[in-house]
Coordinates of all heavy atoms in Angstrom, one line a residue:
M17 N -11.4 -18.7 8.3 CA -12.7 -18.6 8.8 C -13.5 -19.8 8.2 O -13.4 -20.2 7.1 CB -13.4 -17.3 8.4 CG -12.5 -16.1 8.5 SD -12.4 -15.2 10.0 CE -12.4 -16.1 11.4
N18 N -14.4 -20.3 9.0 CA -15.3 -21.4 8.5 C -16.6 -20.9 8.1 O -17.0 -19.8 8.3 CB -15.4 -22.5 9.6 CG -16.2 -22.1 10.8 OD1 -17.2 -21.4 10.7 ND2 -15.7 -22.6 12.0
A19 N -17.4 -21.8 7.4 CA -18.7 -21.4 6.9 C -19.6 -20.9 7.9 O -20.4 -19.9 7.7 CB -19.3 -22.6 6.1
Q20 N -19.6 -21.5 9.1 CA -20.6 -21.0 10.1 C -20.3 -19.6 10.5 O -21.3 -18.8 10.8 CB -20.5 -22.0 11.4 CG -21.0 -23.4 11.1 CD -22.5 -23.3 10.6 OE1 -23.3 -22.5 11.1 NE2 -22.8 -24.2 9.7
E21 N -19.1 -19.2 10.6 CA -18.7 -17.8 11.0 C -19.2 -16.8 9.9 O -19.8 -15.8 10.2 CB -17.2 -17.6 11.2 CG -16.7 -18.4 12.4 CD -15.2 -18.5 12.4 OE1 -14.6 -18.9 11.4 OE2 -14.6 -18.1 13.5
V22 N -19.1 -17.2 8.6 CA -19.5 -16.4 7.5 C -21.0 -16.3 7.5 O -21.6 -15.3 7.3 CB -18.9 -16.9 6.2 CG1 -19.4 -16.0 5.0 CG2 -17.4 -16.9 6.2
L23 N -21.7 -17.5 7.7 CA -23.1 -17.5 7.7 C -23.7 -16.7 8.8 O -24.7 -15.9 8.6 CB -23.6 -19.0 7.8 CG -23.4 -19.9 6.6 CD1 -23.7 -21.3 7.0 CD2 -24.4 -19.4 5.5
K24 N -23.1 -16.7 10.0 CA -23.6 -15.9 11.1 C -23.4 -14.4 10.8 O -24.3 -13.7 11.1 CB -22.8 -16.3 12.4 CG -23.3 -15.6 13.6 CD -22.5 -16.0 14.8 CE -23.0 -15.2 16.1 NZ -22.2 -15.6 17.3
A25 N -22.3 -14.0 10.3 CA -22.1 -12.6 9.9 C -23.1 -12.1 8.9 O -23.5 -11.0 8.9 CB -20.6 -12.4 9.5
A26 N -23.3 -13.0 7.9 CA -24.2 -12.6 6.8 C -25.7 -12.7 7.2 O -26.5 -12.0 6.7 CB -24.0 -13.6 5.6
G27 N -26.0 -13.6 8.2 CA -27.4 -13.7 8.6 C -28.3 -14.3 7.5 O -29.4 -14.0 7.4
V28 N -27.7 -15.2 6.7 CA -28.4 -15.9 5.6 C -28.2 -17.4 5.7 O -27.4 -17.9 6.4 CB -27.9 -15.3 4.2 CG1 -28.2 -13.8 4.1 CG2 -26.5 -15.6 4.0
S29 N -29.0 -18.1 4.9 CA -28.9 -19.5 4.8 C -27.7 -19.9 3.9 O -27.1 -19.0 3.2 CB -30.1 -20.1 4.1 OG -30.2 -19.7 2.8
F30 N -27.3 -21.2 4.0 CA -26.2 -21.6 3.1 C -26.5 -21.5 1.7 O -25.6 -21.1 0.9 CB -25.8 -23.1 3.5 CG -24.6 -23.6 2.8 CD1 -23.3 -23.1 3.2 CD2 -24.7 -24.4 1.7 CE1 -22.2 -23.5 2.6 CE2 -23.5 -24.8 1.0 CZ -22.3 -24.4 1.5
V31 N -27.7 -21.7 1.3 CA -28.1 -21.5 -0.1 C -27.9 -20.1 -0.6 O -27.4 -19.8 -1.7 CB -29.6 -22.0 -0.4 CG1 -30.1 -21.7 -1.8 CG2 -29.7 -23.5 -0.1
T32 N -28.3 -19.1 0.3 CA -28.2 -17.7 0.0 C -26.7 -17.4 -0.1 O -26.2 -16.6 -1.0 CB -28.9 -16.9 1.0 OG1 -30.3 -17.2 0.9 CG2 -28.7 -15.4 0.7
L33 N -25.9 -17.9 0.9 CA -24.5 -17.6 0.9 C -23.8 -18.1 -0.5 O -23.0 -17.4 -1.0 CB -23.8 -18.3 2.0 CG -22.3 -18.1 2.1 CD1 -21.9 -16.7 2.3 CD2 -21.7 -19.0 3.2
R34 N -24.2 -19.3 -0.9 CA -23.7 -19.7 -2.2 C -24.0 -18.7 -3.4 O -23.2 -18.5 -4.2 CB -24.2 -21.1 -2.6 CG -23.4 -22.2 -1.8 CD -23.7 -23.5 -2.3 NE -25.1 -23.9 -2.0 CZ -25.7 -24.9 -2.4 NH1 -25.1 -25.8 -3.2 NH2 -27.0 -25.2 -2.1
E35 N -25.3 -18.2 -3.3 CA -25.7 -17.2 -4.3 C -24.8 -15.9 -4.2 O -24.4 -15.4 -5.2 CB -27.1 -16.9 -4.2 CG -27.6 -15.9 -5.2 CD -27.6 -16.3 -6.7 OE1 -27.5 -17.5 -7.0 OE2 -27.5 -15.4 -7.6
W36 N -24.6 -15.5 -3.0 CA -23.7 -14.3 -2.8 C -22.3 -14.5 -3.3 O -21.7 -13.6 -3.9 CB -23.7 -14.0 -1.3 CG -24.9 -13.3 -0.8 CD1 -26.2 -13.3 -1.3 CD2 -25.1 -12.6 0.4 NE1 -27.1 -12.6 -0.5 CE2 -26.4 -12.1 0.6 CE3 -24.2 -12.2 1.5 CZ2 -26.9 -11.4 1.6 CZ3 -24.6 -11.5 2.5 CH2 -26.0 -11.1 2.6
I37 N -21.8 -15.7 -3.1 CA -20.5 -16.1 -3.6 C -20.5 -16.0 -5.1 O -19.6 -15.4 -5.8 CB -20.0 -17.5 -3.1 CG1 -19.7 -17.4 -1.6 CG2 -18.8 -17.9 -3.9 CD1 -19.6 -18.8 -1.0
K38 N -21.5 -16.6 -5.7 CA -21.6 -16.7 -7.2 C -21.7 -15.2 -7.8 O -21.2 -15.0 -8.8 CB -22.9 -17.4 -7.5 CG -23.2 -17.6 -9.0 CD -24.4 -18.4 -9.2 CE -24.9 -18.4 -10.7 NZ -26.2 -19.0 -10.8
R39 N -22.4 -14.3 -7.1 CA -22.6 -13.0 -7.5 C -21.4 -12.0 -7.2 O -21.4 -10.9 -7.6 CB -23.9 -12.4 -6.9 CG -25.1 -13.2 -7.2 CD -25.9 -12.9 -8.5 NE -26.4 -11.6 -8.6 CZ -27.6 -11.3 -8.3 NH1 -28.5 -12.1 -7.8 NH2 -28.0 -10.0 -8.5
G40 N -20.5 -12.5 -6.4 CA -19.3 -11.7 -6.0 C -19.5 -10.8 -4.8 O -18.8 -9.9 -4.6
V41 N -20.5 -11.1 -4.0 CA -20.8 -10.3 -2.8 C -19.8 -10.7 -1.7 O -19.4 -9.8 -1.0 CB -22.3 -10.5 -2.4 CG1 -22.6 -9.9 -1.0 CG2 -23.2 -10.0 -3.4
V42 N -19.5 -12.0 -1.6 CA -18.5 -12.4 -0.6 C -17.6 -13.4 -1.3 O -17.9 -13.9 -2.4 CB -19.2 -13.2 0.6 CG1 -20.0 -12.2 1.5 CG2 -20.0 -14.4 0.2
P43 N -16.4 -13.5 -0.8 CA -15.4 -14.3 -1.5 C -15.7 -15.8 -1.4 O -16.3 -16.3 -0.5 CB -14.1 -14.0 -0.8 CG -14.5 -13.6 0.6 CD -15.8 -12.9 0.4
P44 N -15.2 -16.6 -2.4 CA -15.4 -18.0 -2.4 C -14.5 -18.7 -1.3 O -13.5 -18.1 -0.9 CB -15.1 -18.5 -3.8 CG -14.1 -17.5 -4.2 CD -14.5 -16.2 -3.6
P45 N -14.9 -19.9 -0.9 CA -14.0 -20.6 0.0 C -12.6 -20.9 -0.6 O -12.5 -21.0 -1.8 CB -14.7 -22.0 0.2 CG -15.9 -22.0 -0.6 CD -16.0 -20.7 -1.3
L46 N -11.6 -20.9 0.2 CA -10.3 -21.2 -0.2 C -10.0 -22.7 -0.5 O -9.3 -23.0 -1.5 CB -9.3 -20.8 0.9 CG -9.3 -19.3 1.2 CD1 -8.4 -19.0 2.4 CD2 -8.8 -18.5 0.0
E47 N -10.6 -23.5 0.3 CA -10.4 -25.0 0.1 C -11.5 -25.7 0.9 O -12.2 -25.1 1.7 CB -9.1 -25.4 0.7 CG -8.9 -25.1 2.1 CD -7.5 -25.4 2.7 OE1 -6.6 -24.6 2.4 OE2 -7.4 -26.4 3.3
A48 N -11.7 -27.0 0.6 CA -12.6 -27.8 1.3 C -11.9 -28.9 2.0 O -11.0 -29.5 1.5 CB -13.7 -28.4 0.3
V49 N -12.3 -29.2 3.2 CA -11.7 -30.3 4.0 C -12.7 -31.5 4.0 O -13.8 -31.3 4.4 CB -11.5 -29.9 5.4 CG1 -10.9 -31.0 6.3 CG2 -10.5 -28.7 5.5
K50 N -12.3 -32.6 3.5 CA -13.1 -33.8 3.4 C -13.2 -34.5 4.8 O -12.3 -34.3 5.6 CB -12.6 -34.8 2.4 CG -12.5 -34.2 1.0 CD -13.9 -34.0 0.4 CE -13.8 -33.4 -1.0 NZ -15.0 -33.0 -1.6
G51 N -14.2 -35.2 5.0 CA -14.4 -35.9 6.3 C -15.8 -35.8 6.7 O -16.7 -36.1 5.9
R52 N -16.1 -35.4 7.9 CA -17.5 -35.3 8.4 C -18.1 -34.1 7.8 O -18.0 -33.0 8.4 CB -17.5 -35.3 9.9 CG -17.0 -36.5 10.5 CD -17.0 -36.4 12.0 NE -18.1 -37.4 12.5 CZ -18.4 -37.5 13.7 NH1 -17.8 -36.8 14.6 NH2 -19.3 -38.4 14.1
G53 N -18.7 -34.1 6.7 CA -19.3 -33.0 6.0 C -18.2 -32.2 5.2 O -17.1 -32.6 5.1
N54 N -18.6 -31.1 4.7 CA -17.8 -30.3 3.9 C -17.5 -29.0 4.6 O -18.4 -28.1 4.6 CB -18.4 -30.1 2.5 CG -17.5 -29.4 1.5 OD1 -16.3 -29.3 1.8 ND2 -18.0 -29.0 0.4
L55 N -16.4 -28.8 5.3 CA -16.1 -27.6 6.0 C -15.2 -26.7 5.2 O -14.0 -26.8 5.2 CB -15.4 -28.0 7.3 CG -16.1 -28.9 8.2 CD1 -15.3 -29.3 9.4 CD2 -17.4 -28.3 8.7
A56 N -15.9 -25.7 4.6 CA -15.2 -24.8 3.7 C -14.3 -23.8 4.5 O -14.8 -23.4 5.6 CB -16.1 -24.1 2.8
K57 N -13.2 -23.4 4.0 CA -12.3 -22.4 4.7 C -12.4 -21.2 3.8 O -12.2 -21.2 2.6 CB -10.9 -22.9 4.7 CG -10.7 -24.2 5.4 CD -10.8 -24.0 6.9 CE -10.4 -25.3 7.6 NZ -10.5 -25.2 9.0
Y58 N -12.8 -20.0 4.5 CA -12.9 -18.8 3.8 C -11.8 -17.8 4.1 O -11.2 -17.9 5.2 CB -14.3 -18.1 4.2 CG -15.4 -18.8 3.6 CD1 -16.0 -20.0 4.2 CD2 -16.0 -18.4 2.4 CE1 -17.0 -20.7 3.7 CE2 -17.1 -19.1 1.8 CZ -17.6 -20.2 2.5 OH -18.6 -20.9 1.9
P59 N -11.5 -16.9 3.3 CA -10.5 -15.8 3.7 C -10.9 -15.1 4.9 O -12.1 -15.0 5.2 CB -10.4 -14.9 2.5 CG -11.3 -15.5 1.4 CD -12.1 -16.6 2.0
R60 N -10.0 -14.6 5.7 CA -10.3 -13.9 6.9 C -11.3 -12.7 6.7 O -12.1 -12.5 7.6 CB -9.0 -13.4 7.5 CG -9.1 -12.9 8.9 CD -7.8 -12.5 9.5 NE -7.0 -13.7 9.9 CZ -7.1 -14.4 11.0 NH1 -8.0 -14.0 11.9 NH2 -6.3 -15.4 11.2
H61 N -11.2 -12.1 5.6 CA -12.0 -10.9 5.4 C -13.5 -11.3 5.0 O -14.3 -10.4 4.9 CB -11.4 -10.0 4.3 CG -11.4 -10.6 2.9 ND1 -10.3 -11.4 2.6 CD2 -12.2 -10.5 1.9 CE1 -10.5 -11.7 1.3 NE2 -11.7 -11.2 0.9
A62 N -13.8 -12.6 4.8 CA -15.1 -13.0 4.5 C -16.2 -12.6 5.5 O -17.3 -12.2 5.2 CB -15.2 -14.5 4.2
V63 N -15.8 -12.6 6.8 CA -16.7 -12.3 7.9 C -17.1 -10.8 7.9 O -18.3 -10.5 7.8 CB -16.2 -12.8 9.2 CG1 -17.1 -12.3 10.4 CG2 -16.2 -14.3 9.3
P64 N -16.2 -9.9 7.9 CA -16.6 -8.5 7.8 C -17.3 -8.2 6.5 O -18.2 -7.3 6.5 CB -15.3 -7.7 8.0 CG -14.2 -8.6 7.8 CD -14.7 -10.0 8.1
Q65 N -16.9 -8.8 5.4 CA -17.5 -8.5 4.1 C -18.9 -9.0 4.2 O -19.8 -8.3 3.7 CB -16.7 -9.3 3.0 CG -17.0 -8.8 1.7 CD -16.0 -9.3 0.6 OE1 -14.9 -9.7 1.0 NE2 -16.4 -9.2 -0.6
A66 N -19.2 -10.2 4.7 CA -20.6 -10.7 4.8 C -21.4 -9.8 5.7 O -22.6 -9.6 5.4 CB -20.5 -12.1 5.4
G67 N -20.8 -9.3 6.8 CA -21.6 -8.4 7.7 C -21.9 -7.1 7.0 O -23.1 -6.6 7.1
L68 N -21.0 -6.5 6.2 CA -21.3 -5.3 5.4 C -22.4 -5.6 4.4 O -23.3 -4.8 4.2 CB -20.0 -4.8 4.7 CG -20.2 -3.6 3.8 CD1 -20.9 -2.4 4.5 CD2 -18.9 -3.3 3.2
A69 N -22.3 -6.8 3.7 CA -23.3 -7.1 2.7 C -24.7 -7.2 3.4 O -25.7 -6.7 2.8 CB -22.9 -8.5 2.1
R70 N -24.7 -7.8 4.6 CA -26.0 -7.9 5.2 C -26.6 -6.5 5.6 O -27.8 -6.2 5.3 CB -25.9 -8.7 6.5 CG -27.2 -8.8 7.3 CD -27.1 -9.4 8.6 NE -26.3 -8.5 9.4 CZ -25.6 -8.8 10.5 NH1 -25.5 -10.0 10.9 NH2 -24.9 -7.9 11.1
R71 N -25.7 -5.6 6.0 CA -26.2 -4.2 6.4 C -26.7 -3.5 5.1 O -27.7 -2.8 5.1 CB -25.1 -3.4 7.0 CG -24.8 -3.9 8.4 CD -24.0 -2.9 9.2 NE -22.8 -2.3 8.6 CZ -21.6 -2.9 8.6 NH1 -21.3 -4.0 9.2 NH2 -20.6 -2.3 8.0
L72 N -26.0 -3.7 4.0 CA -26.4 -3.0 2.8 C -27.7 -3.6 2.2 O -28.5 -2.9 1.7 CB -25.2 -3.2 1.7 CG -23.9 -2.4 2.1 CD1 -22.9 -2.7 1.0 CD2 -24.2 -0.9 2.3
R73 N -27.8 -4.9 2.3 CA -29.1 -5.5 1.9 C -30.3 -5.0 2.8 O -31.3 -4.7 2.3 CB -29.1 -7.1 2.1 CG -28.3 -7.8 1.0 CD -28.9 -7.6 -0.4 NE -30.1 -8.4 -0.5 CZ -31.1 -8.3 -1.4 NH1 -30.9 -7.3 -2.3 NH2 -32.1 -9.0 -1.5
D74 N -30.0 -4.8 4.1 CA -31.0 -4.3 5.0 C -31.4 -2.9 4.6 O -32.5 -2.4 4.9 CB -30.6 -4.3 6.4 CG -30.5 -5.7 7.0 OD1 -31.0 -6.7 6.4 OD2 -29.9 -5.9 8.1
E75 N -30.5 -2.1 4.0 CA -30.7 -0.8 3.6 C -31.4 -0.7 2.2 O -31.7 0.4 1.7 CB -29.4 0.0 3.5 CG -28.8 0.3 4.9 CD -27.5 1.0 4.9 OE1 -27.1 1.5 3.8 OE2 -26.8 1.0 5.9
G76 N -31.5 -1.9 1.6 CA -32.2 -1.9 0.3 C -31.3 -2.0 -1.0 O -31.8 -1.9 -2.1
W77 N -30.0 -2.2 -0.8 CA -29.1 -2.3 -1.9 C -29.4 -3.6 -2.6 O -29.7 -4.6 -2.0 CB -27.7 -2.3 -1.5 CG -27.1 -1.0 -0.9 CD1 -27.7 -0.1 -0.1 CD2 -25.8 -0.5 -1.2 NE1 -26.9 0.9 0.2 CE2 -25.7 0.7 -0.5 CE3 -24.8 -0.9 -2.0 CZ2 -24.6 1.5 -0.5 CZ3 -23.6 -0.1 -2.0 CH2 -23.6 1.1 -1.3
T78 N -29.2 -3.6 -3.9 CA -29.3 -4.9 -4.7 C -28.1 -5.7 -4.6 O -27.0 -5.1 -4.3 CB -29.6 -4.6 -6.2 OG1 -28.4 -3.9 -6.8 CG2 -30.8 -3.7 -6.4
L79 N -28.1 -6.9 -4.9 CA -26.9 -7.8 -4.8 C -25.9 -7.3 -5.8 O -24.7 -7.3 -5.5 CB -27.2 -9.2 -5.1 CG -28.0 -10.0 -4.0 CD1 -28.2 -11.4 -4.4 CD2 -27.2 -9.9 -2.7
D80 N -26.3 -6.9 -7.0 CA -25.4 -6.3 -8.0 C -24.7 -5.1 -7.5 O -23.5 -5.0 -7.7 CB -26.1 -6.1 -9.3 CG -26.5 -7.3 -10.1 OD1 -25.9 -8.4 -9.8 OD2 -27.4 -7.2 -10.9
S81 N -25.4 -4.2 -6.9 CA -24.8 -3.0 -6.4 C -23.8 -3.3 -5.2 O -22.8 -2.6 -5.1 CB -25.8 -1.9 -6.0 OG -26.6 -2.4 -4.9
I82 N -24.2 -4.2 -4.4 CA -23.3 -4.6 -3.3 C -22.0 -5.2 -3.8 O -20.9 -4.9 -3.4 CB -24.0 -5.6 -2.3 CG1 -25.2 -5.0 -1.6 CG2 -23.0 -6.2 -1.3 CD1 -26.1 -5.9 -0.8
A83 N -22.2 -6.1 -4.8 CA -21.0 -6.7 -5.4 C -20.0 -5.7 -6.0 O -18.8 -5.7 -5.9 CB -21.4 -7.7 -6.5
E84 N -20.6 -4.7 -6.7 CA -19.8 -3.6 -7.2 C -19.1 -2.8 -6.1 O -18.0 -2.4 -6.2 CB -20.7 -2.7 -8.1 CG -21.0 -3.3 -9.4 CD -19.8 -3.7 -10.3 OE1 -18.9 -2.8 -10.4 OE2 -19.8 -4.8 -10.8
H85 N -19.8 -2.5 -5.0 CA -19.3 -1.8 -3.9 C -18.1 -2.6 -3.3 O -17.1 -2.0 -2.9 CB -20.3 -1.5 -2.9 CG -19.8 -0.8 -1.7 ND1 -19.4 0.5 -1.7 CD2 -19.6 -1.2 -0.4 CE1 -19.0 0.9 -0.5 NE2 -19.1 -0.1 0.3
M86 N -18.3 -3.9 -3.2 CA -17.2 -4.7 -2.6 C -15.9 -4.6 -3.4 O -14.8 -4.7 -2.8 CB -17.6 -6.2 -2.5 CG -18.8 -6.4 -1.5 SD -18.4 -5.9 0.1 CE -19.9 -6.3 0.9
K87 N -16.0 -4.4 -4.7 CA -14.8 -4.3 -5.5 C -14.1 -3.0 -5.2 O -12.9 -2.9 -5.5 CB -15.2 -4.3 -7.0 CG -15.7 -5.6 -7.5 CD -16.2 -5.5 -8.9 CE -16.9 -6.8 -9.4 NZ -17.4 -6.7 -10.7
T88 N -14.7 -2.0 -4.7 CA -14.1 -0.7 -4.4 C -13.4 -0.7 -3.0 O -12.7 0.2 -2.7 CB -15.1 0.5 -4.4 OG1 -16.0 0.3 -3.3 CG2 -15.9 0.5 -5.7
R89 N -13.6 -1.8 -2.3 CA -13.1 -1.9 -0.9 C -11.7 -2.6 -0.9 O -11.4 -3.4 -1.8 CB -14.0 -2.7 0.0 CG -15.4 -2.1 0.1 CD -15.4 -0.8 0.9 NE -14.6 -1.0 2.1 CZ -15.0 -1.1 3.3 NH1 -16.2 -1.0 3.6 NH2 -14.1 -1.3 4.3
T90 N -10.9 -2.3 0.1 CA -9.7 -3.0 0.4 C -10.0 -4.0 1.4 O -10.5 -3.7 2.5 CB -8.6 -2.0 0.9 OG1 -8.4 -1.0 -0.1 CG2 -7.3 -2.8 1.1
W91 N -9.7 -5.3 1.1 CA -9.9 -6.4 2.0 C -8.6 -7.2 2.2 O -8.0 -7.6 1.3 CB -11.0 -7.4 1.4 CG -12.3 -6.7 1.2 CD1 -12.8 -6.3 0.0 CD2 -13.3 -6.4 2.1 NE1 -14.0 -5.8 0.1 CE2 -14.3 -5.8 1.4 CE3 -13.4 -6.5 3.5 CZ2 -15.5 -5.4 2.1 CZ3 -14.5 -6.1 4.2 CH2 -15.6 -5.5 3.4
D92 N -8.2 -7.3 3.5 CA -7.1 -8.1 3.9 C -5.8 -7.7 3.1 O -5.1 -8.6 2.6 CB -7.4 -9.6 3.6 CG -7.1 -10.5 4.8 OD1 -7.1 -10.0 5.9 OD2 -6.9 -11.7 4.5
G93 N -5.6 -6.4 3.0 CA -4.4 -6.0 2.4 C -4.4 -6.0 0.8 O -3.4 -5.6 0.2
Q94 N -5.5 -6.4 0.2 CA -5.6 -6.4 -1.2 C -6.1 -5.0 -1.7 O -7.0 -4.5 -1.1 CB -6.5 -7.5 -1.7 CG -6.0 -8.9 -1.4 CD -7.0 -9.9 -1.8 OE1 -8.2 -9.7 -1.9 NE2 -6.5 -11.1 -1.9
P95 N -5.5 -4.5 -2.7 CA -5.9 -3.1 -3.2 C -7.3 -3.1 -3.7 O -7.8 -4.1 -4.3 CB -4.9 -2.8 -4.3 CG -4.4 -4.1 -4.8 CD -4.5 -5.0 -3.6
A96 N -8.0 -2.0 -3.5 CA -9.3 -1.8 -4.1 C -9.3 -1.5 -5.5 O -8.2 -1.2 -6.1 CB -10.0 -0.7 -3.3
A97 N -10.4 -1.6 -6.2 CA -10.5 -1.2 -7.6 C -10.2 0.3 -7.7 O -10.2 1.0 -6.7 CB -11.9 -1.5 -8.1
P98 N -9.8 0.8 -8.9 CA -9.4 2.2 -9.1 C -10.4 3.2 -8.6 O -10.0 4.2 -8.1 CB -9.2 2.3 -10.6 CG -8.9 0.9 -11.0 CD -9.7 0.0 -10.1
S99 N -11.7 2.9 -8.7 CA -12.7 3.9 -8.3 C -12.7 4.0 -6.7 O -12.7 3.0 -6.1 CB -14.0 3.6 -8.9 OG -14.5 2.4 -8.4
G100 N -12.8 5.2 -6.2 CA -12.9 5.4 -4.7 C -14.2 5.2 -4.2 O -15.2 4.9 -4.9
P101 N -14.4 5.4 -2.9 CA -15.7 5.3 -2.2 C -16.6 6.3 -2.7 O -16.2 7.4 -3.1 CB -15.4 5.4 -0.7 CG -14.0 6.0 -0.6 CD -13.3 5.7 -1.9
T102 N -17.9 6.0 -2.6 CA -18.9 7.0 -3.0 C -19.1 8.0 -1.9 O -18.7 7.8 -0.8 CB -20.2 6.3 -3.4 OG1 -20.7 5.7 -2.2 CG2 -20.1 5.3 -4.5
E103 N -19.8 9.1 -2.2 CA -20.1 10.1 -1.3 C -20.9 9.6 -0.1 O -20.7 10.0 1.0 CB -20.8 11.3 -1.9 CG -21.0 12.5 -1.1 CD -21.6 13.6 -1.8 OE1 -21.0 14.0 -2.9 OE2 -22.6 14.1 -1.4
N104 N -21.8 8.6 -0.4 CA -22.7 8.1 0.7 C -22.2 6.7 1.1 O -23.0 5.8 1.4 CB -24.1 8.0 0.1 CG -24.7 9.3 -0.2 OD1 -24.4 10.3 0.5 ND2 -25.4 9.4 -1.3
D105 N -20.9 6.5 1.2 CA -20.3 5.2 1.6 C -20.7 4.9 3.0 O -20.4 5.7 3.9 CB -18.8 5.3 1.4 CG -18.1 3.9 1.6 OD1 -18.8 3.0 2.1 OD2 -16.9 3.8 1.3
P106 N -21.4 3.8 3.3 CA -21.9 3.5 4.6 C -20.8 3.1 5.6 O -21.0 3.1 6.8 CB -22.8 2.3 4.4 CG -22.3 1.6 3.1 CD -21.8 2.8 2.3
D107 N -19.6 2.9 5.1 CA -18.5 2.6 6.0 C -17.6 3.7 6.4 O -16.7 3.6 7.2 CB -17.5 1.5 5.3 CG -18.3 0.3 5.0 OD1 -19.2 -0.1 5.8 OD2 -18.1 -0.3 3.9
E108 N -17.9 4.9 5.9 CA -17.1 6.1 6.2 C -17.4 6.5 7.7 O -16.6 7.2 8.3 CB -17.5 7.3 5.3 CG -17.0 7.0 3.9 CD -15.5 6.8 3.8 OE1 -14.7 7.7 4.3 OE2 -15.0 5.8 3.2
A109 N -18.5 6.0 8.2 CA -18.8 6.4 9.6 C -18.1 5.4 10.6 O -18.3 5.5 11.8 CB -20.3 6.3 9.9
G110 N -17.3 4.5 10.1 CA -16.5 3.6 11.0 C -17.3 2.5 11.6 O -17.0 2.1 12.7
E111 N -18.3 2.0 10.8 CA -19.1 0.9 11.3 C -18.6 -0.5 11.0 O -19.3 -1.4 11.2 CB -20.6 1.1 10.8 CG -21.2 2.4 11.3 CD -22.6 2.5 10.8 OE1 -23.2 1.5 10.3 OE2 -23.1 3.6 10.8
D112 N -17.5 -0.6 10.5 CA -16.9 -1.9 10.2 C -16.7 -2.8 11.3 O -16.2 -2.7 12.3 CB -15.6 -1.8 9.4 CG -15.8 -2.0 7.9 OD1 -16.8 -2.5 7.5 OD2 -14.9 -1.6 7.2

């Protein structure tokens, strides 16, 4: 996935996306391609993860709580952290 796809899903600026990456809300780019600008490549799950982060922010979640929630999720076949979803998990309704 490229940066534009992640930015569109997140609905944020590039500066905000970098902060989300730094805070663990979305995954960092896999690699950078040099040439006309810097086109970062992101893991495939970065787009749905960015979309979920945007929805949670719209609901009033803090970045720290979103980052912790992301650790409990399974993304792209990677196992989630040992703790399971919370009782009020916004994704249990199948909105992914």
